[in-house]
Amino acid sequence: MVSKKRLGLVIDLERCAGCWTCAVACKAENNVAMGNWWNRVLSPPGKEQSQYGIPSLTQDGSVDMIFRPYACMHCQNAACVKVCPTGATYKRPDGITAQDYSKCIGCRSCIAACPYNVRVFNWEKPVQIPAYDSDHVGNIDVPERPKGVVEKCTFCMERTDKGELPACVAGCPSHARYFGDLNDPNSEVSKLISNRTGEKYKEEFGTDPSVYYLPTRQRQTLRIGVATKGAGLAALAEPQTSSAPFYTGQCCATVERSESK
Amino acid sequence: MTPIKTKTGTVWIWVLGLIALVGFGMWIRQLILGLAVTGMNNYVSWGLYIITFAFMVGLSAGGLIVSSLAYILKLEHLKQMAPVGIVAAVACVVGAGAMILVDVGHPERVLNILLGGRLTSPIKWDFFILAVYLVVGLFELYVMLSKKWLNRTLAAREHALNILAWIGFPVAILVHSITAWIFGLQIGRPFWNTALMAPIFLSSAVVSGVGLLLLVAFIGDKYKLPIPGLDEQNRTFLTKLLSSFILLDAFFLFCDLFTSVYAGGTAEASTAAKLLTGNMAPLFWLEIILGVVAPFLILVMTKTKRSMGWQAVAGVLVMVGVFLKRINIILPNLLQLNVPYAPGVSTGRFSTSSPFHIADQSSFAVVGNYFPTLSEVCITLGVLAFVALLITVGIRLTMAVEKEESVAEAGFHEINVV
């Protein structure tokens, strides 16, 4: 059975250097106004327990902190889509949560509904960085937004519809981002998720996000440890995962590992 | 059917009209400049407007629920109060609609909600039910006050009002439940996401609505206005209703907060802690003292419970209390993000300053802040003044009709039942 297409993003936390290139590429590509960001890089403490990004200390005393690039999760069961009274926010058949700026009345229910706080509102007429005024730097196909509408990451649908990669993926200098069809088991993203135990963020809200994060080596070790204590077998079948040297090179490391399995 | 004119009344109407006009002007300014003139941002994306909207919806309840109850439970004496109750309900619903209009970024597009909106949206349900509520209320007023209906027999009018009450009562319940579900159905906001949200909205709606009626009764008595139905007997009924609903409301609130804090360590618990002991505690305890303890004492103490003045004080206190309650339900969860890590959310405020943000500084905020701007306050006061104006005009109409009625009915030795 051919399943429906579901576009998704995989972000490798082990490779992310926290340089913000994805955020800036997104902002430039989509002409996001000053004050608003569709994409940003959070700096949570590794255990994500202490608030406000203060690094937490691990048991051996080293500082534990990760970078978590963060934008719309394009949830399959999107809370924002459900509450939108006009249908301005909608799911496309390919899984993208899109926004129709001409329908949006600006009631901001979707901002309140989004468990991930990724939606932004144009409180005033969008002002671009002054240099942008005379020269449309970003993608000319991206529609302009009036004041008073909500906007957010669109997986750069103007690019991806043509088969190109989203700006954040194309621009990532450390190859930490992958884009593809999550429903295709042979796609790069699906393989990465299954080989490296990709996880959805804040899954407890039940919105079924389409963005997966590949855990850092340290966290993966921890996860395998936990798994061994519990069900065990799946983890034991892959004993090298925790000790193997990880990702010193490019993404081909993934291929090597999946072949060696 | 000429409205009764007094000098104080005329000044009152002019003052209210002026405030409403200033608010309208500020709204035009907001339409031009965008919602940047408010204190809201991407962090706290709903503010005074939505708080006042929820408050106004609640305020309208008392009127319609009490009036409908009079017909449904066949409380003959209470029926006299129905016109005033419905005037208050209709005026407040108009005010609630106005608050939504000033809150949205594109008020000219609100009809998009009707034309091909999405059926799963609580805002869409609310839009429908508020429209139905308004139509039912206006039609009830038409039956009570229009020449056409007054010329028909009393039985015919009673029959029509009975049917309308049976429609109006469930609609009133639905209005509050749906308004509560705008918040209560949000899985992303753990503190809002409680099944108790609709019951809480209903109970505090009755509390504030009855409070408004008591205030109207006091003003009517002070200026010797013959407002129909707000006599000693009905006021006693209202105070009993009010004191029991204050208790019910407080019980619901306790259940909600107790469930939130008991386990500890959850998102609800930290939001509730913000309310009980954190930076929102002053507002919360003010709500408890002004909205629960003080009015309840006034309404049960034999010294004060029969005094019209004290009843009005209790009425004002519960309205203030319920307004604070709306703040304390809506703001804490907006101030609490699920993912609060640095650098936080982009606030959307960069080139314009707000009370907590200086223009051209960082657009990120880890800690949420909200304080209404002068513009926001003016627009809100404008809407409130407009509602007060509608209530004044509406009550004048009911008084005018009442006067004609009593003159007409005196001849037939009939009991005055309107």
Side-chain angles (χ1 to χ4, degrees), chain A residues 83 89 104 108 112 123 147, chain B residues 36 45 103 106 109 118 121 189:
Chain A
V83 300
T89 298
C104 177
R108 308 190 293 294
W123 298 95
K147 68 170 186 286
Chain B
S45 51
D103 180 69
H106 280 274
R109 291 183 187 166
R118 185 171 285 114
S121 165
R189 304 280 171 179

Side-chain angles (χ1 to χ4, degrees), chain B residues 110-121:
Chain B
V110 283
L111 283 182
N112 282 1
I113 297 176
L114 286 179
L115 314 167
R118 185 171 285 114
L119 286 174
T120 49
S121 165

Side-chain angles (χ1 to χ4, degrees), chain A residues 20 34-45 47-54 68 70 79-91 100-125 127 146-149 201-202 205-207, chain B residues 30-38 40-47 49-50 103-107 109-124 182 185-190 192 274 334 336-352 360 363-364 366-367:
Chain A
W20 279 72
M34 291 208 288
N36 279 338
W37 292 78
W38 287 3
N39 196 355
R40 53 203 153 102
V41 182
L42 301 183
S43 316
K47 293 201 181 72
E48 300 196 7
Q49 276 168 353
S50 73
Q51 276 203 344
Y52 308 140
I54 301 155
R68 188 183 286 280
Y70 195 79
C80 55
V81 171
K82 269 187 202 163
V83 300
C84 177
T86 62
T89 298
Y90 61 99
K91 287 302 285 186
D100 184 338
Y101 307 118
S102 63
K103 277 189 188 168
C104 177
I105 59 168
C107 67
R108 308 190 293 294
S109 320
C110 52
I111 299 187
C114 176
Y116 297 97
N117 309 105
V118 295
R119 293 181 153 263
V120 296
F121 187 71
N122 286 298
W123 298 95
E124 56 197 320
K125 190 175 180 300
V127 186
K147 68 170 186 286
V149 297
Y201 189 49
K202 298 262 174 195
F205 290 112
T207 55
Chain B
Q30 177 185 295
L31 284 181
I32 295 165
L33 297 177
L35 284 162
V37 299
T38 68
M40 293 184 277
N41 51 62
N42 289 338
Y43 207 121
V44 184
S45 51
W46 279 341
Y49 294 152
I50 290 290
D103 180 69
V104 299
H106 280 274
R109 291 183 187 166
V110 283
L111 283 182
N112 282 1
I113 297 176
L114 286 179
L115 314 167
R118 185 171 285 114
L119 286 174
T120 49
S121 165
I123 297 242
K124 177 155 180 142
I182 291 178
L185 295 180
Q186 308 266 27
I187 45 97
R189 304 280 171 179
W192 287 351
K274 191 191 281 286
L334 285 172
Q336 180 104 8
L337 293 189
N338 298 319
V339 185
Y341 307 118
V345 297
S346 62
T347 57
R349 309 299 295 262
F350 190 80
S351 47
T352 43
D360 296 346
S363 62
F364 286 103
V366 169
V367 181

Side-chain angles (χ1 to χ4, degrees), chain B residues 62-76:
Chain B
L64 210 85
I65 287 179
V66 169
S67 320
S68 306
L69 269 183
Y71 282 91
I72 288 172
L73 301 178
K74 309 227 180 308
L75 305 169
E76 290 304 325

Side-chain angles (χ1 to χ4, degrees), chain B residues 106-157:
Chain B
H106 280 274
E108 81 280 5
R109 291 183 187 166
V110 283
L111 283 182
N112 282 1
I113 297 176
L114 286 179
L115 314 167
R118 185 171 285 114
L119 286 174
T120 49
S121 165
I123 297 242
K124 177 155 180 142
W125 310 335
D126 215 30
F127 195 88
F128 270 112
I129 205 75
L130 281 174
V132 172
Y133 190 85
L134 187 63
V135 169
V136 170
L138 282 177
F139 193 66
E140 275 187 84
L141 282 184
Y142 181 69
V143 172
M144 285 166 183
L145 305 177
S146 76
K147 274 243 160 64
K148 186 183 157 202
W149 277 90
L150 285 176
N151 289 336
R152 299 193 185 174
T153 60
L154 193 64
R157 259 190 297 158

Side-chain angles (χ1 to χ4, degrees), chain A residues 4-7 73-79 81-82 91-97 182-183 200 206-210:
Chain A
K4 234 169 57 178
K5 201 174 173 187
R6 178 179 171 186
L7 293 176
M73 302 284 169
H74 295 273
C75 310
Q76 280 301 96
N77 179 25
V81 171
K82 269 187 202 163
K91 287 302 285 186
R92 299 203 330 175
D94 58 5
I96 293 180
T97 307
L182 297 175
N183 278 352
K200 300 167 185 174
T207 55
D208 192 8
S210 297

